[in-house]
């Protein structure tokens, strides 16, 4: 996930000032189902955002341990989030696929490339079953995340089938 943690934390601050702990909790609840943030990641990101003028310290409270800083987004931070949201993500064309490399290397080394494709197909199907089950049990956010992953896996499966159908021709091309 090439998510911008800084922009995500800034976006969470638009609803009002929060402590680092609250930001971590909100991030994990909304976006971190599979990869929760580490506290160190939150605080190092907030330190960078503070240095860059995108957040400010809205207050400091004493606690049982270190002081708790409450962060607020600045006008520059709001502008930065708006610019980030308006910028389209670069589509990932997967032009240097590890799987393609494995198939070609198998052909070059006279190994069974069809077995590699079959093994990968089985792994994709296994992951699709897991995601489908998660989607069935999940809330709307989880369903959308799983749909995104499932659509990519379906595209991969189509590629696996197409490559399997063209394996003899690919073997000829690779042998040259």
């Amino acid at each position: 996930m090439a998510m911008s943690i800084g922009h995500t934390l800034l976006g969470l601050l638009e609803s009002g000032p929060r402590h680092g702990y609250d930001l971590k909790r909100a991030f994990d609840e909304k976006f971190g189902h599979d990869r929760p943030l580490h506290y160190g990641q939150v605080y190092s990101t907030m330190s960078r955002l503070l240095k860059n003028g995108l957040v400010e310290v809205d207050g400091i409270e004493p606690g049982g341990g270190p002081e708790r800083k409450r962060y607020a987004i600045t006008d520059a931070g709001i502008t930065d989030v708006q610019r980030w949201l308006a910028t389209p993500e670069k589509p990932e064309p997967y032009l240097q696929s590890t799987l393609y490399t494995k198939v070609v290397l198998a052909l070059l080394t006279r190994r069974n490339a069809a077995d590699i494709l079959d093994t990968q197909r089985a792994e994709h199907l296994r992951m699709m079953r897991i995601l489908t089950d998660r989607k069935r049990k999940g809330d709307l956010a989880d369903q959308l995340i799983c749909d995104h992953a499932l659509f990519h896996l379906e595209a991969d499966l189509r590629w696996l089938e197409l490559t399997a159908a063209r394996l003899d021709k690919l073997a000829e091309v690779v042998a040259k």
Side-chain angles (χ1 to χ4, degrees), residues 8-144:
T8 305
L9 294 176
L10 283 172
L12 290 171
L13 282 172
E14 282 202 48
S15 64
R18 298 183 192 214
H19 296 96
Y21 173 82
D22 298 327
L23 285 167
K24 178 201 175 345
R25 194 177 73 233
F27 181 97
D28 290 352
E29 182 181 298
K30 299 287 184 198
F31 311 106
H33 290 99
D34 298 311
R35 289 189 185 165
L37 283 181
H38 298 287
Y39 284 104
Q41 204 172 5
V42 173
Y43 292 110
S44 65
T45 302
M46 295 312 295
S47 176
R48 183 177 42 80
L49 295 173
L50 187 62
K51 187 178 103 186
N52 293 335
L54 302 176
V55 299
E56 60 192 10
V57 175
D58 185 58
I60 298 177
E61 301 168 8
E67 295 178 329
R68 292 176 36 140
K69 292 180 185 174
R70 188 174 56 243
Y71 298 97
I73 192 168
T74 63
D75 289 342
I78 291 170
T79 300
D80 200 54
V81 170
Q82 181 59 37
R83 185 179 12 233
W84 180 67
L85 290 173
T87 303
E89 290 298 307
K90 181 180 180 215
E92 293 296 329
Y94 301 107
L95 293 178
Q96 280 299 325
S97 160
T98 303
L99 188 53
Y100 172 77
T101 302
K102 286 183 173 186
V103 170
V104 170
L105 283 176
L107 293 170
L108 286 171
T109 58
R110 292 179 173 60
R111 289 182 172 89
N112 191 334
D115 285 350
I116 291 171
L117 293 170
D118 289 343
T119 300
Q120 192 62 50
R121 184 182 303 106
E123 184 61 17
H124 271 61
L125 291 170
R126 184 188 72 77
M127 181 55 70
M128 290 176 83
R129 285 189 295 276
I130 290 169
L131 289 169
T132 300
D133 186 55
R134 176 177 165 180
K135 177 182 165 181
R136 195 175 303 118
K137 296 175 183 172
D139 60 10
L140 180 59
D142 222 26
Q143 291 169 13
L144 290 169

